Amino acid sequence: MMQYIWLIPLLPFLSSVLLILTAGKMPRRIVAFMGSGSVGLAALIVLSVGMGYMQSATPHTLHLWTWMQIGNFSPGFAFYVDHLTIVMMSVITGVGFLIHLYSTEFMQDDSDYSRYFAYMNMFVAAMLVLVLADNLLLLYLGWEGVGVCSYLLVGFWYKDPANGAASRKAFVVTRVGDTAMALGLFLLFTELGTLQIQPMLEAANNTWAIGDNIPAIAALLLLGGAVGKSAQLPLHTWLPDAMAGPTPVSALIHAATMVTAGVYLIARTHDLFVLAPDVQILVALIGLATLLLAAFTALNQHDIKRILAYSTISQIGYMFLALGVGAWSSGIFHLMTHAFFKALLFLAAGAVIHCLHHEHNIFKMGGLRTKLPVVFWSFVLGSAALAALPFTSGFFSKDPILLSAFSAHSSALDSGFNLGPWLWAGGVLGAFLTALYSARLVFVVFFGEAKTEPDKQPGWRMAVPLSILCILSIVGGAFTLPLASVFPAASEHAVSGLVHVISIATPIVGLLIATLVYFKPVLPINKFTDSGTGTALRGFWHRGWGIDTLYDWVLVKPYVGLSAAMKSEWLDTIYHGVVSLARSLNVWLSSLQTGKMRWYATGMAFGLIVLLTLVGWGV
């Protein structure tokens, strides 16, 4: 089946093109069949390819054609398949198909039904190209493709100016990271002479030693791209606003696929980061800082989708932490389980919004436990996995990350300072906060007094994906990812039993405290939260630590002010003059179009006389 891997991105791409060309004129049933069926068929091919690959377990490259030929630079349109590729394709097409099926019901009343699936299919195709690419230039094509599709999907309901602003913000902020990544590609090609990933990594190991400056700079530039696309500090601010798009978009792009592209990039080029230990430690520190910042912010949000958005930022922070301490397989494992339970939570949130007159404020909900039972159990299981409670998929993927963090040593510090226990402690604090805001979300939305009555129930096209994702959120931790041939083995260090106990018990303690605060309010926390200090802290965290405000004052407002000042620049007078002259000539020439044949004939005769006169004079 390896010779057919080109069909995997081609099927959703062709579906997208057909939906675009028909411009919404096809019946909705056919649109739904093409939109979801193309991704489902791609998922079946991935399953077949994966089963065939497991028998040989030998990396395979399929060269389709040479993309361009410029001197010695001849990147191909070629796909590379190994265990990491199989895992990523399985997540993209498997979870993607469930989200597309869910969308066929969620978006059924939308006037732009066909346009929605055209964008979604194009996104899936671009993401598949990204993970299949055997060279960094083709990867960058998919990278930019998902960026454009994200812009289109976040601003899908473009008639609302706020949605347009959110899509532009996502596009501009991620462009900062993409620019850094492009510079990294230029540097790697200049120094190593190739952008083919496997030969490039081999050349890097043969050319550079651990700690050299060039690989450190290249790794930093690639990290810039990863930080932007995966919404990590300091380029994370676009993701919460991106919740302006339809909820299934949030489930696909901002939980299961696109925001994990940065994690995939670092994992795919891990040899380069191993050569730059300082940068690798920076990856861990960025992940730790991001997961804590986002967890505190999620605890103070009222919008159900923004809570999940900040939880996504936080969970990707755990993936960065894993990559930074060399737990490569654990990071990818958490990427997979996170796709299961976060897609489940977003789709369940979409069902709540869909059935509650598009209400987003969790404090205007309540009492939905018996009224939306499928959604309730979806939230319970998804939140349990998010909080990493024992025997859930999130527990089996997050616990190894915490233990690996504890065992990590900072080779970046000459003092030999052992950074591992501090990374572990920060991760444990993040796990406590995650359990706290996850339980808060469930208790506030599904228990207590009902404030908004649902006017409908989710149909089977919404219930089936939720049910499948519920199962995956529980049993997904039992999967074994065969990534030993892709990544170096993680360092094994003895960890005390107390560290194990604390890592396991922390989410349970968070759940118990949330129960005593939000379910049976017996803990007197109001004395603090309603105090001046508590109110200020809650407001500060609710605003995302004021980072958006900082960017507005430091970057946005000065740029807007400079643009306003240059609006009346003297040089513009010349351009305005050219425009005015063109308009005047247009008015004068238009006045000659009278519609009278005699006038046109006279004009032609006069022009002929002038022409003959000039010829006679020898002009």
Side-chain angles (χ1 to χ4, degrees), residues 193-212:
T194 182
L195 288 180
Q196 281 188 273
I197 297 174
Q198 302 310 315
M200 182 205 73
L201 295 177
E202 183 178 352
N205 283 313
N206 293 333
T207 304
W208 298 319
I210 294 177
D212 283 354

Side-chain angles (χ1 to χ4, degrees), residues 5 35 71 124 154 228 261 269 305 316 325 364 375 387 399 405 420 525 528:
I5 58 175
V124 171
V154 170
T269 58
K305 287 179 65 177
I316 297 173
V325 299
K364 294 182 180 180
V375 180
D399 193 56
I525 65 167
F528 173 73

Side-chain angles (χ1 to χ4, degrees), residues 185-200:
L185 301 192
F186 294 150
L187 177 61
L188 288 171
F189 179 74
T190 301
E191 295 295 324
L192 302 176
T194 182
L195 288 180
Q196 281 188 273
I197 297 174
Q198 302 310 315
M200 182 205 73

Side-chain angles (χ1 to χ4, degrees), residues 174-246:
T174 54
R175 289 292 78 71
V176 176
D178 294 354
T179 302
M181 181 179 171
L183 293 175
L185 301 192
F186 294 150
L187 177 61
L188 288 171
F189 179 74
T190 301
E191 295 295 324
L192 302 176
T194 182
L195 288 180
Q196 281 188 273
I197 297 174
Q198 302 310 315
M200 182 205 73
L201 295 177
E202 183 178 352
N205 283 313
N206 293 333
T207 304
W208 298 319
I210 294 177
D212 283 354
N213 291 330
I214 298 299
I217 295 172
L220 269 176
L221 292 170
L222 294 185
L223 175 59
V227 162
K229 197 67 79 180
S230 289
Q232 297 292 283
L233 276 170
L235 301 178
H236 67 289
T237 56
W238 65 270
L239 183 58
D241 290 349
M243 296 301 107

